[in-house]
Amino acid sequence: MNGSAYKLLGYAVWRGGKWYVQRRYLSRLPSARAVAVTGLVVLTAGAAAVTLARRALD
């Protein structure tokens, strides 16, 4: 096989691997919107906890 054939084979393996991982694992992850909302809730709760802790020390 020459260099072009190896390049084509590598491309096919790379694309096939990406397809497999997306089908197998990424479908189980939460959506980007759910992650963003959860992060926002955690940050807000953390800020509230810090604020309450500082007020309790005063």
Side-chain angles (χ1 to χ4, degrees):
M1 286 180 24
N2 60 13
S4 296
Y6 278 115
K7 186 176 180 179
L8 184 61
L9 178 62
Y11 180 77
V13 170
W14 176 255
R15 297 289 291 177
K18 280 180 58 175
W19 174 82
Y20 176 78
V21 167
Q22 287 175 349
R23 293 270 307 197
R24 180 84 174 158
Y25 298 107
L26 295 183
S27 62
R28 297 180 186 175
L29 295 176
S31 68
R33 180 179 290 168
V35 171
V37 168
T38 303
L40 185 61
V41 168
V42 167
L43 285 174
T44 304
V50 168
T51 302
L52 291 174
R54 286 187 180 174
R55 286 187 182 172
L57 292 176
D58 289 339

